Amino acid sequence: RLHEGERGLGLLGSDSILDPSSAPAVAASEVGDHLKGLAQRGFQVLAFLDLRHPSDSDRLDRPRTEWERDLFHAGVAVFVGSHDGPGLRLDGSSQGAFAAGLLNTLKKAAPSGPDPRSTPPLTFELFKTSLQSEVRTLTTGRQQTNGYFSDTVARTPMLDPGSSERQYVASPTTKN
């Protein structure tokens, strides 16, 4: 959850706090600087961000979008839980639609068969398309998610089952 406090934008680790002004927060700029630094060193950095909360003020929309865009421009692949309002919770589950969609998408993309290398690599573009479809299905079209990454990264394997050398850093910053 993103919160605007006395020291600027901060990230909270949970949305279960009704009054975020009293919760400990990490500066969004500090988290962003670390993610951008990893990308500048050549790591493929993925940020899964589900930062919209029903009680958030509309005044957070612009700084949130600018922060996500800043990460994208620095080479971080940014996946956002919902770009049209707060993410939805699934009935009978403690998970939100974005978290469930991520898990379902990754499960479906997992290598299968006797030789995992025979499974084609999951590219960023294919992952984004699959995640969007999964979240739309889970929410019957009520929640739209998106992913932002460079055109050169689009066809890059995100998870390559045939590769023994992977450099992935995930930022599981979700409200779920």
Side-chain angles (χ1 to χ4, degrees), residues 32 35-36 39 45-47 68 71-78 148-149:
L35 294 174
K36 293 184 290 186
V45 183
L46 311 170
E68 292 165 350
L71 291 174
F72 160 71
H73 287 300
V76 175
V78 178
Y148 304 96
F149 41 82

Side-chain angles (χ1 to χ4, degrees), residues 1-4 9 51-66 83-86:
R1 180 174 180 185
L2 197 62
H3 171 67
E4 189 171 34
L9 290 179
L51 300 174
R52 290 175 177 255
H53 192 272
S55 64
D56 286 347
S57 165
D58 289 345
R59 75 175 190 270
L60 285 176
D61 287 345
R62 184 177 176 147
R64 178 182 18 252
T65 301
E66 288 173 357
H83 60 78
D84 291 328

Side-chain angles (χ1 to χ4, degrees), residues 1 12 28 35 39 42-43 53 58 62 65 73 81 85 88 91-92 95 116 123 136 144-145 148 163 165:
R1 180 174 180 185
L12 305 175
L35 294 174
F43 287 92
H53 192 272
D58 289 345
R62 184 177 176 147
T65 301
H73 287 300
L88 302 173
D91 292 336
Q95 288 182 324
T123 64
R136 263 194 317 272
Q144 305 297 317
T145 187
Y148 304 96
S163 173
E165 295 181 23

Side-chain angles (χ1 to χ4, degrees), residues 11 28-41 43-49 67 71 74-78 169-173:
L11 294 173
S29 60
E30 185 177 340
V31 173
D33 289 345
H34 286 290
L35 294 174
K36 293 184 290 186
L38 288 167
Q40 290 168 352
R41 287 184 195 85
F43 287 92
Q44 272 186 329
V45 183
L46 311 170
F48 298 103
L49 306 172
W67 186 69
L71 291 174
V76 175
V78 178
V169 177
S171 172
T173 309

Side-chain angles (χ1 to χ4, degrees), residues 80-126:
V80 294
S82 176
H83 60 78
D84 291 328
L88 302 173
R89 292 235 180 248
L90 299 178
D91 292 336
S93 173
S94 62
Q95 288 182 324
F98 184 56
L102 281 169
L103 292 172
N104 292 349
T105 300
L106 290 171
K107 284 178 190 174
K108 290 176 181 178
S112 59
D115 183 7
R117 292 173 293 180
S118 66
T119 303
L122 180 65
T123 64
F124 278 82
E125 188 62 40
L126 181 58

